[in-house]
Amino acid sequence: MRKLGLIAGGGGLPVEIAQHCEHSGRPLFVIRLKGFAGSDLAPFAGAEIGIAELGKCIKALKRAGCEAVCLAGNVSRPDFSSLVPDLRGMAVLPRAIAAARKGDDALLRLLVGEFEKEGFQVEGAHEVMDDLGLPLGPLGRCTPSDADRADALQALEVARTIGRLDIGQAAVVAHGLVLAVEAQEGTDAMLSRVAGLPAHLKGRPGAGEGVLAKAPKPIQETRVDLPTIGLATVEAVARAGLAGIVGEAGRLLVLDREALIARADELGVFVVGVQPEAL
C-alpha cells in the first residue's frame, strides 16, 4: 500500500480522507497548507507549509516516504504579489501566474504536473476513498418531482456551460429560470444570494422549489477539485427554499454521507445522481 501524502486545504474533505487512511491502515503524511488547513488535521503526522513553498513540500513528502499525493480541500486563489516562495516555488511562480490567467483548472494542472515530475502518483480523493462519489439515483428517501427533474437537467446544463468557461461548478434553476451561477465566491455564498430572492421565484424552507446542480468542468483535471457537497450544502439548499441537489453520478463527492442523508431526509431535500449522458 503506497504511503499517501495528503496536501490539505480547508473544509471537511481532507479530514475525511485522513480518517479513512487511519481506519484502513494506509500510511499517511499530511501537508497542512498554512492559512487553509483546519485544526482537525493537527493530530495526524505531517508538516505545516505555505502554499508557495513547493520545494519544502516536496522534500517533506520524500523524507516521509510518500509515493502518492492527493490534493484536497478548499484553497482560495492567492494574491501572488504577497506570496513568500522558496527557491522551487520561485522557479514555478511565473508559470503559475500565467496559468492562473487561463483559469483555476490550468493552475491546478500545473501543480499536478510538478508533483508528477517528482515521481509521485497523483490520486483523486474519489480514488483514495472509492465510496465518496455520489451514486446513481436518489441518495435518501426524498425524490424529485417531474418539475424538479426538468429544473435539474437545465441546472446541470448551465453548470457545465459555465464550467467550459472555467467560471464555476454550480448553478441554481427554479421553474426553468436560472437564479444563480457560481463564480469565485463558492457554493455557500451563491446559495446565500438565492435565499435572499423573493419566495415566488423558488420556494420557502419546508416547501422548496428549484434545484442546485454541481458538475465538474469539462476541461477539469478530475484528480483535483471535483465538486463536493456536505451537511452545510444540504442545510443551505433548504434555507434557500430549494427542493434538492443533483450531480453526475461518480463525479460529485459526498462528505459525511450517512449524516448528510439523515439531514436531507429530515429537511425534505432530495439528493440525486444522474448519468453524465443525461445532460
Side-chain angles (χ1 to χ4, degrees), residues 119-181:
F120 295 107
Q121 180 75 34
V122 179
E123 298 182 19
H126 60 297
E127 295 170 320
V128 178
M129 295 180 62
D130 58 11
D131 60 347
L132 265 181
L134 178 68
L136 187 64
L139 195 56
R141 292 195 305 269
C142 302
T143 57
S145 67
D146 289 343
D148 293 330
R149 290 188 186 94
D151 283 341
L153 291 178
Q154 184 178 350
L156 277 167
E157 183 178 357
V158 173
R160 288 177 62 85
T161 298
I162 64 170
R164 290 188 192 100
L165 300 174
D166 203 8
I167 294 172
Q169 298 177 318
V172 175
V173 170
H175 309 297
L177 179 67
V178 179
L179 300 186
V181 295

Coordinates of all heavy atoms in Angstrom, one line a residue, residues 119-181:
G119 N 7.9 12.2 -9.5 CA 7.7 10.8 -9.4 C 6.6 10.4 -8.5 O 6.4 9.2 -8.2
F120 N 5.8 11.3 -8.0 CA 4.6 11.0 -7.2 C 3.4 10.6 -8.1 O 3.2 11.1 -9.1 CB 4.2 12.2 -6.4 CG 5.2 12.6 -5.3 CD1 5.9 13.8 -5.5 CD2 5.4 11.8 -4.2 CE1 6.8 14.2 -4.5 CE2 6.3 12.2 -3.2 CZ 7.0 13.4 -3.4
Q121 N 2.7 9.5 -7.6 CA 1.4 9.2 -8.3 C 0.4 10.1 -7.7 O 0.2 10.2 -6.5 CB 1.1 7.7 -7.9 CG -0.2 7.2 -8.5 CD -0.1 7.0 -10.0 OE1 0.9 6.5 -10.5 NE2 -1.2 7.2 -10.7
V122 N -0.3 10.8 -8.5 CA -1.4 11.7 -8.1 C -2.7 11.0 -8.1 O -3.2 10.5 -9.1 CB -1.5 13.0 -9.0 CG1 -2.6 13.9 -8.4 CG2 -0.1 13.7 -9.0
E123 N -3.4 10.9 -6.9 CA -4.6 10.2 -6.7 C -5.7 11.2 -6.4 O -5.5 12.2 -5.6 CB -4.5 9.2 -5.6 CG -3.5 8.1 -5.8 CD -3.5 7.1 -4.7 OE1 -4.5 7.0 -3.9 OE2 -2.5 6.4 -4.5
G124 N -6.9 11.1 -7.0 CA -8.0 11.9 -6.7 C -8.6 11.4 -5.3 O -8.4 10.3 -4.9
A125 N -9.3 12.3 -4.7 CA -10.0 12.0 -3.4 C -10.9 10.8 -3.6 O -11.0 9.9 -2.7 CB -10.8 13.2 -2.9
H126 N -11.6 10.7 -4.7 CA -12.5 9.6 -5.0 C -11.8 8.3 -5.3 O -12.4 7.2 -5.3 CB -13.4 10.0 -6.2 CG -12.7 10.2 -7.5 ND1 -11.8 11.3 -7.6 CD2 -12.7 9.6 -8.7 CE1 -11.3 11.3 -8.8 NE2 -11.9 10.3 -9.5
E127 N -10.5 8.4 -5.6 CA -9.7 7.2 -5.8 C -9.1 6.7 -4.5 O -9.0 5.5 -4.2 CB -8.5 7.5 -6.8 CG -9.0 7.8 -8.2 CD -7.9 8.3 -9.1 OE1 -7.1 9.1 -8.6 OE2 -7.9 7.9 -10.3
V128 N -8.8 7.6 -3.6 CA -8.4 7.2 -2.2 C -9.5 6.6 -1.5 O -9.4 5.6 -0.8 CB -7.9 8.5 -1.5 CG1 -7.5 8.1 0.0 CG2 -6.7 9.1 -2.2
M129 N -10.7 7.2 -1.6 CA -11.9 6.7 -0.9 C -13.0 6.4 -2.0 O -13.6 7.3 -2.5 CB -12.5 7.7 0.0 CG -11.6 8.0 1.2 SD -12.4 9.3 2.3 CE -13.9 8.4 2.8
D130 N -13.1 5.1 -2.4 CA -14.0 4.8 -3.5 C -15.5 5.0 -3.2 O -16.3 4.8 -4.1 CB -13.7 3.4 -4.1 CG -13.8 2.3 -3.1 OD1 -14.4 2.6 -2.0 OD2 -13.4 1.2 -3.4
D131 N -15.8 5.2 -2.0 CA -17.2 5.4 -1.7 C -17.6 6.9 -1.5 O -18.7 7.2 -1.0 CB -17.6 4.7 -0.4 CG -16.9 5.1 0.8 OD1 -15.9 5.8 0.7 OD2 -17.2 4.7 2.0
L132 N -16.7 7.8 -1.9 CA -17.0 9.2 -1.8 C -18.0 9.7 -2.9 O -18.7 10.7 -2.7 CB -15.7 10.0 -1.9 CG -15.0 10.4 -0.6 CD1 -13.8 11.3 -1.0 CD2 -15.9 11.3 0.3
G133 N -18.0 9.1 -4.0 CA -18.8 9.6 -5.2 C -20.3 9.4 -5.0 O -20.7 8.4 -4.4
L134 N -21.0 10.3 -5.5 CA -22.5 10.3 -5.5 C -22.9 9.1 -6.3 O -22.5 9.0 -7.5 CB -23.1 11.6 -6.1 CG -24.6 11.7 -6.2 CD1 -25.2 11.7 -4.8 CD2 -25.0 12.9 -7.0
P135 N -23.8 8.2 -5.8 CA -24.3 7.1 -6.6 C -25.4 7.5 -7.5 O -25.9 8.6 -7.4 CB -24.8 6.1 -5.5 CG -25.2 7.0 -4.4 CD -24.2 8.1 -4.4
L136 N -25.7 6.6 -8.4 CA -26.8 6.9 -9.4 C -28.2 6.8 -8.6 O -28.4 5.8 -7.8 CB -26.8 5.8 -10.5 CG -27.7 6.0 -11.7 CD1 -27.4 7.3 -12.4 CD2 -27.6 4.8 -12.6
G137 N -29.0 7.7 -8.9 CA -30.4 7.7 -8.2 C -30.4 8.5 -7.0 O -29.5 9.1 -6.6
P138 N -31.6 8.4 -6.3 CA -31.7 9.2 -5.0 C -30.8 8.6 -3.9 O -30.7 7.4 -3.8 CB -33.2 9.0 -4.7 CG -33.9 8.5 -5.9 CD -32.8 7.7 -6.7
L139 N -30.3 9.6 -3.1 CA -29.4 9.2 -2.1 C -30.2 8.9 -0.8 O -29.7 8.1 0.1 CB -28.3 10.3 -1.8 CG -27.1 9.9 -1.0 CD1 -26.4 8.7 -1.5 CD2 -26.2 11.1 -0.9
G140 N -31.3 9.5 -0.6 CA -32.1 9.3 0.6 C -33.5 8.9 0.2 O -33.8 8.4 -0.9
R141 N -34.5 9.3 1.1 CA -35.9 8.9 0.8 C -36.6 9.9 -0.1 O -37.5 9.6 -0.8 CB -36.7 8.9 2.1 CG -36.3 7.8 3.1 CD -37.4 7.6 4.2 NE -37.6 8.9 4.9 CZ -37.0 9.2 6.0 NH1 -36.1 8.4 6.5 NH2 -37.3 10.4 6.6
C142 N -36.1 11.1 -0.2 CA -36.7 12.2 -1.0 C -36.4 12.0 -2.5 O -35.3 11.7 -2.8 CB -36.3 13.6 -0.5 SG -36.7 13.9 1.3
T143 N -37.4 12.2 -3.3 CA -37.2 12.1 -4.7 C -37.8 13.3 -5.4 O -38.7 14.0 -4.9 CB -37.9 10.8 -5.3 OG1 -39.3 10.9 -4.9 CG2 -37.3 9.6 -4.7
P144 N -37.2 13.7 -6.6 CA -37.7 14.9 -7.3 C -39.0 14.6 -8.0 O -39.3 13.5 -8.5 CB -36.6 15.1 -8.3 CG -35.9 13.8 -8.5 CD -36.1 13.1 -7.2
S145 N -39.8 15.7 -8.2 CA -41.0 15.7 -9.0 C -40.6 15.8 -10.4 O -39.4 16.1 -10.8 CB -41.9 16.8 -8.6 OG -41.3 18.1 -8.9
D146 N -41.6 15.8 -11.3 CA -41.3 16.0 -12.8 C -40.8 17.4 -13.0 O -39.9 17.6 -13.8 CB -42.6 15.7 -13.6 CG -43.0 14.3 -13.6 OD1 -42.1 13.4 -13.3 OD2 -44.2 14.0 -14.0
A147 N -41.4 18.4 -12.3 CA -40.9 19.7 -12.5 C -39.5 19.9 -12.0 O -38.6 20.6 -12.6 CB -41.8 20.7 -11.7
D148 N -39.2 19.2 -10.8 CA -37.8 19.2 -10.3 C -36.8 18.6 -11.3 O -35.7 19.1 -11.5 CB -37.7 18.4 -9.0 CG -38.5 19.1 -7.9 OD1 -38.6 20.3 -7.8 OD2 -39.0 18.3 -7.0
R149 N -37.2 17.5 -12.0 CA -36.3 16.9 -12.9 C -36.0 17.8 -14.1 O -34.9 17.8 -14.6 CB -37.0 15.6 -13.4 CG -37.1 14.5 -12.4 CD -37.5 13.2 -13.0 NE -37.7 12.1 -12.0 CZ -38.9 11.9 -11.4 NH1 -40.0 12.6 -11.8 NH2 -39.0 11.0 -10.5
A150 N -37.0 18.5 -14.5 CA -36.7 19.5 -15.6 C -35.8 20.6 -15.2 O -34.8 20.9 -15.9 CB -38.1 20.1 -16.1
D151 N -36.0 21.1 -14.0 CA -35.1 22.1 -13.4 C -33.7 21.5 -13.2 O -32.7 22.2 -13.5 CB -35.6 22.6 -12.1 CG -36.7 23.6 -12.2 OD1 -36.9 24.2 -13.3 OD2 -37.4 23.8 -11.2
A152 N -33.6 20.2 -12.8 CA -32.3 19.6 -12.6 C -31.5 19.5 -13.8 O -30.3 19.8 -13.9 CB -32.5 18.2 -11.9
L153 N -32.1 19.0 -14.9 CA -31.4 18.9 -16.2 C -30.9 20.2 -16.7 O -29.8 20.4 -17.2 CB -32.3 18.2 -17.2 CG -32.5 16.7 -16.9 CD1 -33.5 16.1 -17.9 CD2 -31.2 15.9 -16.8
Q154 N -31.8 21.3 -16.6 CA -31.4 22.6 -17.0 C -30.3 23.1 -16.2 O -29.3 23.7 -16.7 CB -32.6 23.5 -17.0 CG -32.2 24.9 -17.6 CD -33.4 25.9 -17.6 OE1 -34.5 25.5 -17.3 NE2 -33.2 27.1 -17.8
A155 N -30.3 22.9 -14.9 CA -29.3 23.4 -14.0 C -28.0 22.7 -14.3 O -26.9 23.4 -14.2 CB -29.7 23.2 -12.5
L156 N -28.0 21.4 -14.6 CA -26.8 20.7 -14.9 C -26.2 21.3 -16.2 O -25.0 21.4 -16.3 CB -27.0 19.2 -15.0 CG -27.0 18.4 -13.7 CD1 -27.6 17.1 -13.9 CD2 -25.6 18.3 -13.2
E157 N -27.0 21.6 -17.2 CA -26.6 22.1 -18.5 C -25.9 23.5 -18.2 O -24.8 23.8 -18.8 CB -27.7 22.2 -19.4 CG -27.3 22.7 -20.8 CD -28.4 22.8 -21.8 OE1 -29.6 22.4 -21.4 OE2 -28.2 23.3 -22.9
V158 N -26.5 24.3 -17.4 CA -25.9 25.6 -17.1 C -24.6 25.4 -16.4 O -23.6 26.1 -16.7 CB -26.9 26.4 -16.2 CG1 -26.2 27.7 -15.8 CG2 -28.2 26.8 -17.0
A159 N -24.5 24.5 -15.4 CA -23.3 24.3 -14.6 C -22.2 23.9 -15.6 O -21.0 24.3 -15.5 CB -23.5 23.3 -13.5
R160 N -22.5 23.0 -16.5 CA -21.5 22.5 -17.4 C -21.1 23.7 -18.4 O -19.9 23.8 -18.8 CB -22.0 21.3 -18.2 CG -22.0 20.1 -17.4 CD -22.6 18.9 -18.1 NE -21.8 18.5 -19.3 CZ -20.7 17.7 -19.3 NH1 -20.3 17.2 -18.1 NH2 -20.0 17.5 -20.4
T161 N -22.0 24.5 -18.8 CA -21.7 25.6 -19.7 C -20.8 26.6 -19.0 O -19.8 27.1 -19.6 CB -23.0 26.3 -20.1 OG1 -23.8 25.4 -20.8 CG2 -22.7 27.5 -21.0
I162 N -21.0 27.0 -17.8 CA -20.1 27.9 -17.1 C -18.8 27.2 -16.8 O -17.7 27.9 -16.7 CB -20.7 28.5 -15.8 CG1 -21.0 27.5 -14.7 CG2 -21.9 29.3 -16.1 CD1 -21.3 28.0 -13.4
G163 N -18.8 25.9 -16.7 CA -17.6 25.1 -16.5 C -16.7 25.2 -17.7 O -15.4 25.2 -17.5
R164 N -17.3 25.2 -18.9 CA -16.4 25.3 -20.1 C -15.7 26.6 -20.1 O -14.6 26.7 -20.7 CB -17.3 25.2 -21.3 CG -17.9 23.8 -21.6 CD -18.7 23.8 -22.9 NE -19.5 22.5 -23.0 CZ -20.8 22.5 -22.7 NH1 -21.4 23.6 -22.5 NH2 -21.4 21.4 -22.8
L165 N -16.2 27.6 -19.5 CA -15.5 28.9 -19.4 C -14.7 29.0 -18.2 O -14.1 30.1 -17.9 CB -16.5 30.0 -19.5 CG -17.4 30.1 -20.7 CD1 -18.5 31.1 -20.6 CD2 -16.6 30.3 -22.0
D166 N -14.6 28.0 -17.4 CA -13.8 27.9 -16.1 C -14.3 29.0 -15.2 O -13.5 29.7 -14.5 CB -12.3 28.1 -16.4 CG -11.4 27.5 -15.3 OD1 -12.0 26.9 -14.4 OD2 -10.2 27.8 -15.3
I167 N -15.6 29.2 -15.1 CA -16.2 30.2 -14.2 C -16.5 29.5 -12.8 O -16.1 30.1 -11.8 CB -17.4 30.8 -14.8 CG1 -17.1 31.6 -16.0 CG2 -18.2 31.6 -13.8 CD1 -18.3 32.1 -16.8
G168 N -17.2 28.4 -12.8 CA -17.6 27.7 -11.6 C -18.1 26.4 -11.9 O -18.1 25.9 -13.0
Q169 N -18.7 25.7 -10.8 CA -19.1 24.4 -10.9 C -20.6 24.2 -10.6 O -21.1 23.0 -10.5 CB -18.3 23.5 -10.0 CG -16.8 23.4 -10.3 CD -16.1 22.6 -9.3 OE1 -16.3 22.6 -8.1 NE2 -15.2 21.7 -9.8
A170 N -21.3 25.2 -10.3 CA -22.7 25.1 -9.8 C -23.6 26.1 -10.3 O -23.2 27.2 -10.7 CB -22.7 25.2 -8.2
A171 N -24.9 25.7 -10.4 CA -26.0 26.6 -10.8 C -27.3 26.3 -10.1 O -27.5 25.1 -9.7 CB -26.1 26.6 -12.4
V172 N -28.2 27.2 -10.1 CA -29.5 27.0 -9.5 C -30.5 27.4 -10.5 O -30.5 28.5 -11.1 CB -29.7 27.9 -8.2 CG1 -31.1 27.7 -7.7 CG2 -28.7 27.4 -7.1
V173 N -31.5 26.5 -10.7 CA -32.6 26.8 -11.6 C -33.9 26.4 -10.9 O -34.0 25.4 -10.2 CB -32.5 25.9 -12.9 CG1 -33.8 26.0 -13.7 CG2 -31.3 26.4 -13.7
A174 N -34.9 27.3 -11.0 CA -36.3 27.1 -10.5 C -37.3 27.5 -11.5 O -37.2 28.6 -12.1 CB -36.5 27.8 -9.2
H175 N -38.3 26.6 -11.8 CA -39.3 26.9 -12.7 C -38.8 27.3 -14.1 O -39.3 28.1 -14.8 CB -40.2 28.1 -12.2 CG -40.8 27.9 -10.9 ND1 -41.6 26.9 -10.5 CD2 -40.5 28.6 -9.7 CE1 -41.9 26.9 -9.2 NE2 -41.3 28.0 -8.7
G176 N -37.6 26.7 -14.5 CA -37.0 27.0 -15.7 C -36.2 28.3 -15.8 O -35.7 28.6 -16.8
L177 N -36.1 29.0 -14.7 CA -35.4 30.2 -14.6 C -34.1 30.1 -13.9 O -34.0 29.5 -12.8 CB -36.3 31.3 -13.9 CG -35.7 32.7 -13.7 CD1 -35.6 33.4 -15.0 CD2 -36.6 33.5 -12.7
V178 N -33.0 30.5 -14.5 CA -31.7 30.5 -13.9 C -31.6 31.6 -12.8 O -31.7 32.7 -13.1 CB -30.5 30.7 -14.9 CG1 -29.2 30.7 -14.2 CG2 -30.6 29.6 -16.0
L179 N -31.5 31.1 -11.5 CA -31.5 32.0 -10.4 C -30.1 32.5 -10.0 O -29.9 33.6 -9.5 CB -32.2 31.4 -9.2 CG -33.6 31.0 -9.3 CD1 -34.2 30.5 -7.9 CD2 -34.5 32.1 -9.8
A180 N -29.1 31.6 -10.2 CA -27.7 32.0 -9.8 C -26.8 31.0 -10.5 O -27.1 29.8 -10.8 CB -27.6 31.9 -8.3
V181 N -25.5 31.5 -10.7 CA -24.4 30.6 -11.1 C -23.3 30.9 -10.1 O -23.1 32.0 -9.6 CB -24.0 30.9 -12.6 CG1 -25.1 30.4 -13.5 CG2 -23.6 32.3 -12.8

